[in-house]
């Protein structure tokens, strides 16, 4: 009887330990070889706008008067860019969302011990692979990409943490701060030749993290006037920054733009779980290397969003959130992030079939590299019988 009890206890102990070995061990591997597309990229620089906490439906839908809340970006969708819904994964938090967008992998559970603030394991990202990256935004997000970068080529401009006040009457001032800082930065670059030369190099990224919507959503709910007005504020700021950048680079047609969100938000102002209001986020892309408006006909989706958003005649191109990282890498010609599991969304690319084929091959080889290293590690860790 005692032997039976001990055997049962041992089996349960193995099962219990297996939970931590499987789910609380980082899936990331190191020692892989970086791979890039061996052809000239279509863009020299990329501008990434992330509207933290922006729901797809609230962004794409028209208001009660039949007007869009984002006239500039709606015009891009209807005339000059590509768009779709980016599908996030649980946990729908800011850090895991940004990691998926910029590094191309979904957060490992071991990071929960750090409160989703930093990763206990180093990882690669588009920022790390870039020649220079300038970031503006929240002190909760920017440091985790600068800290993990190899070298000192990721520059951060952050407001004080005290500005993130969930009791504030209107948190859109956080986004206004970002837009103003970007404008001042480009104005200063005009009189600083060293900085200007860095900015005019290739493989450069500009990242604008816009936290106002998330903060207003938590404080006032995503159906509130404050949240809706914040969407308009962000759209206006994006338009001004786009015009500023195009003017600075003399309209050289070498800038790619991506606008998206890290996660959505429930009706009561929370996020973290897997409700569609939390996992469905907008994606709008335009500029160098991006397909322009593609007509849509007989589009089949398991939802009625096209009808609700009045976008039936424009092709909708949905992606998984991690797919955006290889898209950005292919646009500016940097190696795909080493830990990325994203699949390049070819429908967004405006280039030759040969370039697209090279991109697909690079994407596949980069993912295969991770498999090879993972298999090698497992063979060393476990007996051959269990591999």
């Amino acid at each position: 009887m005692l032997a039976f009890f001990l055997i049962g206890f041992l089996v349960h102990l193995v099962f219990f330990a297996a939970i931590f070995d499987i789910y609380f061990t980082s899936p990331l591997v190191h020692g892989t070889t970086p791979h890039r597309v061996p052809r000239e990229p279509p863009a020299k620089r990329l501008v990434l706008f992330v509207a933290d906490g922006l729901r797809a439906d609230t962004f794409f839908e028209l208001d009660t008067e039949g007007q869009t809340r984002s006239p500039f970006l709606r015009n891009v969708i209807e005339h000059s860019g590509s768009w779709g819904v980016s599908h996030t994964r649980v946990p729908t938090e800011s850090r895991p969302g940004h990691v998926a967008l910029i590094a191309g992998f979904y957060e490992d559970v071991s990071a929960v011990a750090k409160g989703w603030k930093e990763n206990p394991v180093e990882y690669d990202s588009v920022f790390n692979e870039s020649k220079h990256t300038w970031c503006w935004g929240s002190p909760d997000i920017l440091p985790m990409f600068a800290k993990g970068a190899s070298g000192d080529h990721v520059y951060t401009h952050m407001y004080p943490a005290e500005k993130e006040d969930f009791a504030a009457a209107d948190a859109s001032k956080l986004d206004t701060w970002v837009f103003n800082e970007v404008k001042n930065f480009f104005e200063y670059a005009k009189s600083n030749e060293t900085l200007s030369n860095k900015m005019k190099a290739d493989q450069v990224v500009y990242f604008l993290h816009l936290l106002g919507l998330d903060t207003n959503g938590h404080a006032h709910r995503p159906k509130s006037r404050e949240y809706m007005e914040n969407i308009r504020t962000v759209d206006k700021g994006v338009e001004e920054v786009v015009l500023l950048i195009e003017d600075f680079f003399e309209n050289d047609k070498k800038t790619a733009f991506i606008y998206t969100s890290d996660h959505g938000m429930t009706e009561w102002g929370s996020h973290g779980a897997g409700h569609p209001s939390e996992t469905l986020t907008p994606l709008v892309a335009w500029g160098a290397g991006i397909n322009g408006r593609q007509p849509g006909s007989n589009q089949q989706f398991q939802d009625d969003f096209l009808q609700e958003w009045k976008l039936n005649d424009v092709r909708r191109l949905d992606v998984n959130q991690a797919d955006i990282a290889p898209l950005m890498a292919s646009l500016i010609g940097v190696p795909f992030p080493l830990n990325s599991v994203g699949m390049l969304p070819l429908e967004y690319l405006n280039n030759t079939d040969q370039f697209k084929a090279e991109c697909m091959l690079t994407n596949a080889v980069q993912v295969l590299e991770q498999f090879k290293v993972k298999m090698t590690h497992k063979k060393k860790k476990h007996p051959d019988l269990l591999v």
Side-chain angles (χ1 to χ4, degrees):
M1 185 68 181
L2 180 61
F4 179 78
F5 173 79
L6 291 175
I7 293 173
F9 177 76
L10 181 61
V11 169
H12 282 80
L13 190 62
V14 170
F15 285 160
F16 183 74
I19 294 174
F20 291 89
D21 183 59
I22 296 171
Y23 294 106
F24 285 83
T25 300
S26 173
L28 303 186
V29 296
H30 297 89
T32 57
T33 303
H35 294 275
R36 75 174 76 213
V37 180
R39 293 192 173 275
E40 183 178 355
K44 294 182 64 175
R45 67 200 70 92
L46 174 108
V47 184
L48 173 63
F49 302 96
V50 177
D52 201 307
L54 177 59
R55 291 166 45 147
D57 58 349
T58 313
F59 171 75
F60 288 119
E61 69 185 8
L62 304 179
D63 62 21
T64 54
E65 298 179 357
Q67 300 297 315
T68 177
R69 301 182 185 95
S70 301
F72 173 75
L73 289 166
R74 182 80 177 201
N75 184 68
V76 169
I77 292 171
E78 295 180 345
H79 297 97
S80 58
S82 295
W83 75 283
V85 174
S86 172
H87 297 258
T88 70
R89 289 190 184 181
V90 175
T92 47
E93 298 288 348
S94 291
R95 183 207 143 78
H98 282 85
V99 169
L101 285 169
I102 299 166
F105 71 91
Y106 297 104
E107 190 69 87
D108 56 286
V109 180
S110 59
V112 72
K114 301 285 187 177
W116 304 120
K117 296 299 182 183
E118 63 176 280
N119 201 327
V121 180
E122 291 186 1
Y123 60 91
D124 194 22
S125 70
V126 173
F127 294 176
N128 186 47
E129 296 291 355
S130 70
K131 189 169 293 183
H132 299 288
T133 293
W134 282 275
C135 313
W136 295 266
S138 168
D140 293 334
I141 298 298
L142 305 192
M144 67 187 187
F145 292 104
K147 180 180 178 181
S150 56
D152 57 354
H153 63 285
V154 179
Y155 317 101
T156 59
H157 304 265
M158 301 172 288
Y159 41 72
E162 299 76 44
K163 283 185 172 288
E164 297 177 8
D165 183 7
F166 290 97
D170 183 11
S172 63
K173 62 184 180 182
L174 298 176
D175 300 336
T176 302
W177 183 94
V178 170
F179 292 130
N180 288 338
E181 287 295 310
V182 173
K183 294 173 187 175
N184 293 336
F185 174 78
F186 275 87
E187 187 62 33
Y188 173 69
K190 293 179 180 178
S191 58
N192 187 315
E193 185 177 357
T194 302
L195 175 59
S196 180
N197 289 337
K198 283 185 177 181
M199 295 168 64
K200 291 179 179 178
D202 55 2
Q203 299 182 349
V204 170
V205 179
Y206 301 96
F207 170 45
L208 284 71
H209 175 238
L210 306 164
L211 186 63
L213 282 161
D214 184 73
T215 308
N216 268 325
H218 286 307
H220 306 287
R221 309 295 181 264
K223 294 296 184 182
S224 65
R225 178 187 60 81
E226 291 83 359
Y227 189 88
M228 301 300 182
E229 286 302 316
N230 203 154
I231 294 176
R232 301 180 195 277
T233 299
V234 168
D235 181 77
K236 182 64 176 175
V238 169
E239 180 181 17
E240 292 173 352
V241 168
V242 168
L243 293 175
L244 175 72
I245 290 176
E246 289 180 341
D247 178 68
F248 184 86
F249 294 107
E250 301 177 339
N251 295 300
D252 63 356
K253 309 298 183 185
K254 288 293 183 179
T255 308
F257 300 93
I258 291 181
Y259 178 88
T260 187
S261 175
D262 53 348
H263 58 74
M265 187 171 290
T266 64
E267 298 289 349
W268 50 92
S270 67
H271 56 82
H275 190 273
S277 62
E278 300 167 271
T279 62
L280 303 183
T281 60
L283 173 61
V284 184
W286 70 101
I290 301 291
N291 267 324
R293 180 187 187 277
Q294 302 178 60
S297 59
N298 299 321
Q299 301 188 76
Q300 302 295 323
F301 290 94
Q302 295 180 341
D303 55 58
D304 298 320
F305 291 148
L306 287 172
Q307 292 76 25
E308 295 174 11
W309 300 339
K310 309 298 186 217
L311 289 170
N312 309 62
D313 59 341
V314 186
R315 189 181 180 193
R316 171 180 158 187
L317 304 170
D318 285 12
V319 302
N320 290 319
Q321 193 172 51
D323 298 343
I324 297 175
L327 173 62
M328 294 191 292
S330 65
L331 288 171
I332 58 175
V334 299
F336 285 29
L338 296 175
N339 310 116
S340 173
V341 296
M343 295 178 60
L344 178 67
L346 284 177
E347 298 88 350
Y348 278 83
L349 293 180
N350 178 19
N351 215 308
T352 64
D353 289 341
Q354 191 166 11
F355 179 86
K356 293 179 181 179
E358 293 277 11
C359 287
M360 292 173 63
L361 177 61
T362 303
N363 193 180
V365 171
Q366 173 264 323
V367 175
L368 180 61
E369 281 280 340
Q370 296 180 74
F371 171 79
K372 289 179 177 178
V373 173
K374 190 73 171 179
M375 181 59 69
T376 300
H377 288 175
K378 289 188 74 68
K379 285 182 177 179
K380 291 180 179 180
K381 184 177 179 181
H382 302 286
D384 290 342
L385 182 64
L386 299 178
V387 174

